């Protein structure tokens, strides 16, 4: 199903759409309050963008520097060209350590590679330990947001899920009780785990260390208890120096949730005594994106989720409507690079209002890239017949002032005189969920000429 159809499904539950919208706007508002407290926020954004652009232009050198420093620290480094290789490498490591129970902290890369189902098919239990991720894992759903994976679920649904899967008592969605029960359940999983998998927020070339940011401390619990730690990172997570962390850690937390700093920003450098540490560095289409001049800046993304929280389409269509690992505005410019035909609907899931670019902490020109994908898709992917014909017609009307004026008159007459149910009837896809304006007597052109005539 494409985005409009999945968005329609989400919109069937009006109450859910309303609280989803409000909850995300609340986070966006918190972000605004938080960034306005930082003097020089725009300078910080400029630094973030410049560091990322510089790193991507010298990616090969920084990756090699990172590898050699990580090896020196006693970490084993692996390279994966694609998702299949990534999954095979992770499985091989687990197999070598006879690991059958794995705890995993939030990692969009492992979602992208579909690591969980792959490992489960090999008889390995994988438990997501981020609370939101665990909720969607129990519901057998993918995350709907990169920072708030279960934002589409209300507390009563979580209550029902926990009763079914964790054997909890009914609690009328009491968040305190549910969190305590989740903690008890996850503690057991941490203690039993044979290995821990984490993502990577930033990997520092100069030192070979990496930083994982969580608000729950679950990455630390996993990595500090299990004898094996596997960290999975995309090639774009590299930053040159430790001193650059100050820029990104300040940008990330404020943009994501409005916090001044993420609760746990954990630095991993070498394995604990007697334990093993592995890093899997994954490309999976990133080099191709890097080779597209119009879209390479999409690799600056630090996965804060701010573009989703602010997007009027995302807030009212839900993350699952994008049918992609990364939803929302950034997902809509990353996904077409992976499969243009499959994701050709996504760049159109936007009003092009530019709010995503305004809040992006690393200043990615998201709405410009959405517009560029639209131009490519219109040329390369077959368009629905009705859309193609109506665009042709519009093109002709816009090119002919006389016809444009006449059609304007007809449209104003229709808006003024036809009943709403005809104007918003099913064939008018654009109008069915919008309140159209009432028809005005005069066109803008008439009004403007009239003003000039009277010397206004
Ligand atoms: S594109 Fe920008 S705003 Fe969106 S998740 Fe990435 S860093 Fe955050």
């Amino acid at each position: 199903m494409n985005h409009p159809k999945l968005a329609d499904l989400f919109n069937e539950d009006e109450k859910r759409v309303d609280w989803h919208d409000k909850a995300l706007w609340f986070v966006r508002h918190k972000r605004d309050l938080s960034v306005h407290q930082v003097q020089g926020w725009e300078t910080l954004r400029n630094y973030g963008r410049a560091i990322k652009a510089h790193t991507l232009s010298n990616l090969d050198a920084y990756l090699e520097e990172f590898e050699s420093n990580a090896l020196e620290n006693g970490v084993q480094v692996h390279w994966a060209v694609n998702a299949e290789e990534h999954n095979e490498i992770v499985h091989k490591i687990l197999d070598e350590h006879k690991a059958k129970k794995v705890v995993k902290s939030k990692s969009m890369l492992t979602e992208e590679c579909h690591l969980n189902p792959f490992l489960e098919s090999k008889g390995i239990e994988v438990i997501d330990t981020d609370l939101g991720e665990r909720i969607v894992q129990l519901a057998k759903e993918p995350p709907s947001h990169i920072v708030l994976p279960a934002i589409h679920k209300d507390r009563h649904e979580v209550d029902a899920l926990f009763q079914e899967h964790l054997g909890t008592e009914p609690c009328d969605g009491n968040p305190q009780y549910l969190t305590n029960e989740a903690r008890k359940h996850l503690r057991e999983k941490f203690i039993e785990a044979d290995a821990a998998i984490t993502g990577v927020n930033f990997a520092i070339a100069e030192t070979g260390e990496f930083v994982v940011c969580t608000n729950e401390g679950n990455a630390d619990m996993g990595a500090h208890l299990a004898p094996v730690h596997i960290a999975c990172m995309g090639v774009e997570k590299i930053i040159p120096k430790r001193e650059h962390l100050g820029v990104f850690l300040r940008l990330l937390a404020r943009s994501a949730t409005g916090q001044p700093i993420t609760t746990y920003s954990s630095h991993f450098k070498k394995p604990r005594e007697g334990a093993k540490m592995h890093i899997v560095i994954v490309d999976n289409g990133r080099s191709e994106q890097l080779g597209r001049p119009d879209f390479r800046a999409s690799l600056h993304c630090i996965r804060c989720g701010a573009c989703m929280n602010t997007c009027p389409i995302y807030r009212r269509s839900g993350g699952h409507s994008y049918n992609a690992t990364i939803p929302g505005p950034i997902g809509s410019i990353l996904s077409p690079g992976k499969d243009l035909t499959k994701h050709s609907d996504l760049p159109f899931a936007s009003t092009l209002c530019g709010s995503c670019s305004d809040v992006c902490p690393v200043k990615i020109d998201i709405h410009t890239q959405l517009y560029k994908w639209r131009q490519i898709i219109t040329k390369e992917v077959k368009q629905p017949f009705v859309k193609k014909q109506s665009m042709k017609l519009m093109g002709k009307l816009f090119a002919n002032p006389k016809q444009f004026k006449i059609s304007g008159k007809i449209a104003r007459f229709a808006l003024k005189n036809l009943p709403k149910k005809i104007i918003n009837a099913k064939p008018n896809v654009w109008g069915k969920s919008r309140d159209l304006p009432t028809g005005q007597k005069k066109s803008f052109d008439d009004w403007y000429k009239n003003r000039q005539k009277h010397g206004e």
Side-chain angles (χ1 to χ4, degrees), residues 2-34:
N2 62 15
H3 181 268
K5 286 194 182 124
L6 290 165
D8 269 353
L9 277 184
F10 187 74
N11 273 265
E12 278 173 12
D13 187 344
E14 274 188 37
K15 266 195 189 158
R16 187 183 303 273
V17 176
D18 279 351
W19 59 249
H20 187 263
D21 182 20
K22 280 188 190 128
L24 289 167
W25 190 249
F26 173 75
V27 184
R28 154 77 212 261
H29 182 59
K30 262 180 80 188
R31 171 253 172 222
D32 289 352
L33 295 177
S34 173

Side-chain angles (χ1 to χ4, degrees), residues 376-410:
I376 294 172
I377 288 163
T378 313
K379 280 189 198 130
E380 294 184 15
V381 181
K382 201 170 172 244
Q383 297 300 303
F385 177 79
V386 176
K387 184 174 177 183
K388 224 173 147 183
Q389 295 311 315
S390 27
M391 287 299 133
K392 258 190 195 165
L393 181 70
M394 289 309 287
K396 278 188 183 152
L397 283 182
F398 284 134
N400 185 324
K402 214 171 172 185
Q403 285 180 18
F404 181 78
K405 260 190 133 175
I406 296 169
S407 50
K409 263 188 192 157
I410 297 171

Side-chain angles (χ1 to χ4, degrees), residues 187-331:
R187 289 272 149 122
E188 272 173 34
K189 297 294 178 188
F190 282 124
I191 290 166
E192 290 169 358
D194 306 313
I197 297 175
T198 68
V200 169
N201 287 88
F202 306 103
I204 304 152
E206 143 186 86
T207 59
E209 66 192 315
F210 58 93
V211 176
V212 184
C213 304
T214 70
N215 272 327
E216 296 165 24
N218 53 316
D220 309 64
M221 284 284 282
H224 292 159
L225 286 170
V228 187
H229 176 186
I230 307 171
C232 305
M233 60 175 264
V235 288
E236 81 286 10
K237 297 289 177 186
I238 287 278
I239 57 171
K241 291 179 185 297
R242 203 186 247 177
E243 69 190 41
H244 297 145
L245 264 179
V247 173
F248 291 108
L249 291 179
R250 293 178 86 199
L251 287 172
L252 176 65
R254 286 188 166 83
S255 302
T257 54
Q259 292 165 256
I261 188 85
T262 315
T263 314
Y264 299 88
S265 298
S266 308
H267 298 237
F268 295 95
K269 188 168 184 182
K270 55 183 183 183
R272 301 189 320 273
E273 231 177 85
K276 299 278 181 212
M277 188 183 276
H278 297 257
I279 298 175
V280 189
I281 305 175
V282 186
D283 186 314
N284 205 29
R286 286 160 176 78
S287 297
E288 265 181 79
Q289 191 78 338
L290 192 61
R292 298 182 181 111
D294 285 342
F295 302 105
R296 64 183 286 155
S298 60
L299 295 173
H300 295 182
C301 176
I302 56 170
R303 303 285 191 266
C304 71
C307 56
M308 292 159 211
N309 304 339
T310 200
C311 176
I313 304 294
Y314 177 90
R315 281 187 278 116
R316 300 196 71 81
S317 64
H320 289 157
S321 64
Y322 292 79
N323 207 6
T325 308
I326 311 275
I330 180 65

